[in-house]
Amino acid sequence: MGFEDNTRNALTALQYESGKPLDIDSLKKVLDSYNITDIDYNDITIYKSSGENIDSPIGNDGAAIHHYNEEKDINDVYYIFRGTEVDLDAPEDVVYDAFGVVAGRYGDGHSLGGHLIVSVALIEKNFDDVRGLNDAPVNLKQLASLDSDFVDYLESATDVLDISDIPEEELVLLARDFYAAEANAISHTRVKGEPLYAQSIPYTFYPGASIHYLGDMETPEFPDVLTPRTPWPGLTEVFSSGINADLDRVAYNANINHLLQFITIIGEEMTVAELSELIGKAKDNPWAALSDMPESVNERLKEEVGLGHIVGGLWALKNTAVYEKVLAVINAKEQFDLHSIGTLIELYDQPGHQPVTYRLEPGTGTHILVDEDSLVNALQAMEGALEQKREALGLLYHYRNMELHERIFEQRERVEGMMSNKEANWRG
């Protein structure tokens, strides 16, 4: 089938409730819009994790488009995962080999759906091209719980039986080495400044050969809501029970979608100034802030994230570090829109769009900025320099093989003539 990236983006968007359902009709409409008209739709089967063409439902977040025609030697599979509220610390919620399709070919996933499809590609080892779109990172503990070969590799490389006893930096390097071949088929496309990439989730990493950035490269990185590397000073003050909770554990167990959703919902209903005033009040008196919150916001939060999240979030604002972090997030709330699949597609489809690309340096995990326009200019300059060298070498070769011999012959004749003249007039 060989879909272009912009076509695959549009198909990924069909997975969302706000879009059209992914079925043969919507598939045909998308492909027609990209001038793909040579497909026999009798050769297409769509598998859905919600239950279509599989034995039993396993969720509502994934689909696979299988294009199969034995006579034409066509057997392509496109796996698509939309953003989902998957707990990154709950591998039992992640379903692999979900659709019973014969083999992996292509895979796309947005947000936490990107986390899923990249994880599938690493474990199954049979994908040709996988793209994470504004995707969440894969989880090393999750990989270890699902991939016994990875665990065996870690034990042989470190002589450590418990993955938690391996320093995180070392573990990431070992994972990059073990999954190096699979990572060559993986790339990430993200909008500069979108919120999810900035979150520091412990024991996670982004495998892949390249990262393509869209949008304004001057957009600042979104504030790191989690900051799990070191505890926030005084965090335990927000827990009336006196539990000695460090931020690593709190952040790791928190569902990142709920965290971002909480602020997103409030941000849709209130201005930055109103939000700043609200959290300022919550720092001193959470209950007063709760009572002053607009009723429409209150009801929506209760329905979508629950009263416990509201009270816990406002109470946490009594802590200075939490307050400052939330204020930074609110001031950057316009960047929430950069995470959506719609914004990514819009930027991708802009005329003359040219992504800024980072390539992964083998062995270190360092991403090196590659400006493709500059690379083209540099290659053209090098080609010009090589052509000049070829011309110079050609002239040198001609001089050595032609002109130099002629010059030598001329000089020899001149010297011989002088010698003959001397010999003829030796008496003088």
Side-chain angles (χ1 to χ4, degrees):
M1 206 155 32
F3 293 153
E4 297 292 333
D5 286 349
N6 52 6
T7 309
R8 292 166 63 176
N9 294 341
L11 293 176
T12 303
L14 286 178
Q15 279 293 91
Y16 285 79
E17 294 177 5
S18 58
K20 297 180 180 179
L22 178 54
D23 55 23
I24 292 294
D25 290 337
S26 62
L27 173 65
K28 185 177 186 304
K29 187 170 184 179
V30 168
L31 299 187
D32 285 347
S33 70
Y34 287 98
N35 299 315
I36 301 173
T37 58
D38 59 346
I39 289 179
D40 183 349
Y41 288 90
N42 292 317
D43 296 337
I44 300 289
T45 302
I46 297 177
Y47 300 81
K48 294 185 179 179
S49 59
S50 57
E52 186 174 328
N53 291 322
I54 62 175
D55 293 336
S56 59
I58 50 175
N60 193 36
D61 306 311
I65 302 170
H66 190 195
H67 187 199
Y68 178 72
N69 187 306
E70 186 176 4
E71 293 180 359
K72 297 180 181 179
D73 194 27
I74 298 173
N75 186 18
D76 289 334
V77 185
Y78 283 84
Y79 288 90
I80 303 169
F81 287 96
R82 71 177 175 89
T84 177
E85 294 188 10
V86 170
D87 186 345
L88 296 183
D89 196 25
E92 63 274 11
D93 292 337
V94 181
V95 181
Y96 301 107
D97 287 329
F99 311 106
V101 182
V102 292
R105 292 294 188 274
Y106 307 94
D108 294 314
H110 170 249
S111 191
L112 294 185
H115 151 81
L116 291 176
I117 192 61
V118 172
S119 299
V120 170
L122 293 179
I123 295 170
E124 295 301 321
K125 306 183 188 305
N126 58 1
F127 280 77
D128 296 328
D129 184 76
V130 172
R131 300 182 313 145
L133 310 174
N134 278 345
D135 54 318
V138 299
N139 188 296
L140 289 163
K141 289 188 174 181
Q142 190 178 78
L143 286 176
S145 70
L146 295 166
D147 190 345
S148 58
D149 291 336
F150 180 46
V151 174
D152 291 342
Y153 171 78
L154 293 177
E155 290 180 359
S156 64
T158 64
D159 291 325
V160 175
L161 298 180
D162 186 347
I163 187 174
S164 300
D165 293 333
I166 303 175
E168 186 175 349
E169 294 77 10
E170 181 182 356
L171 188 57
V172 169
L173 291 177
L174 289 169
R176 289 195 185 281
D177 182 60
F178 180 76
Y179 292 111
E182 292 73 31
N184 285 330
I186 298 169
S187 67
H188 308 275
T189 299
R190 67 173 60 113
V191 178
K192 181 67 166 64
E194 65 87 27
L196 188 53
Y197 174 66
Q199 308 314 311
S200 300
I201 306 170
Y203 289 97
T204 62
F205 79 118
Y206 284 94
S210 60
I211 298 178
H212 306 293
Y213 277 97
L214 309 175
D216 183 0
M217 295 302 109
E218 299 301 317
T219 305
E221 292 297 344
F222 194 86
D224 186 350
V225 178
L226 304 179
T227 326
R229 305 302 179 194
T230 57
W232 283 335
L235 182 66
T236 53
E237 296 168 12
V238 305
F239 295 97
S240 58
S241 61
I243 299 173
N244 183 20
D246 63 79
L247 186 58
D248 279 4
R249 182 164 58 81
V250 174
Y252 192 76
N253 292 334
N255 185 307
I256 190 171
N257 266 14
H258 281 162
L259 240 162
L260 300 182
Q261 186 183 21
F262 180 88
I263 301 172
T264 301
I265 292 172
I266 299 178
E268 289 176 358
E269 304 284 345
M270 304 175 70
T271 66
V272 171
E274 291 170 336
L275 283 168
S276 298
E277 183 179 352
L278 177 70
I279 67 168
K281 185 172 292 185
K283 187 177 188 302
D284 299 322
N285 190 336
W287 300 114
L290 183 62
S291 62
D292 286 352
M293 193 180 295
E295 188 61 28
S296 60
V297 177
N298 235 323
E299 291 303 316
R300 186 176 171 190
L301 282 170
K302 288 177 184 177
E303 180 180 347
E304 298 190 29
V305 301
L307 182 62
H309 279 282
I310 301 173
V311 175
L314 291 174
W315 192 262
L317 291 173
K318 287 179 64 65
N319 178 268
T320 301
V322 175
Y323 166 78
E324 291 174 351
K325 183 64 66 174
V326 171
L327 185 61
V329 170
I330 287 173
N331 288 329
K333 78 181 185 73
E334 298 301 325
Q335 292 176 226
F336 273 105
D337 290 339
L338 300 179
H339 181 69
S340 72
I341 188 67
T343 299
L344 186 145
I345 292 174
E346 180 182 351
L347 290 170
Y348 200 100
D349 288 344
Q350 283 182 352
H353 153 69
Q354 179 66 59
V356 174
T357 303
Y358 283 79
R359 297 290 180 187
L360 185 66
E361 183 181 31
T364 67
T366 301
H367 280 90
I368 304 171
L369 176 62
V370 178
D371 185 329
E372 296 186 2
D373 287 336
S374 298
L375 273 183
V376 170
N377 293 336
L379 286 172
Q380 290 174 342
M382 286 188 283
E383 286 177 356
L386 287 173
E387 184 60 34
Q388 291 178 349
K389 289 183 178 180
R390 279 193 290 268
E391 291 177 359
L393 288 171
L395 290 172
L396 183 60
Y397 179 83
H398 177 76
Y399 180 80
R400 189 191 70 179
N401 291 281
M402 301 295 294
E403 293 187 21
L404 187 60
H405 287 296
E406 291 178 2
R407 296 285 178 88
I408 291 174
F409 181 76
E410 290 173 358
Q411 289 297 325
R412 187 173 62 189
E413 283 193 326
R414 186 176 68 82
V415 171
E416 288 177 349
M418 290 174 60
M419 292 178 63
S420 297
N421 185 52
K422 291 288 187 180
E423 289 173 355
N425 299 284
W426 64 272
R427 293 180 185 273

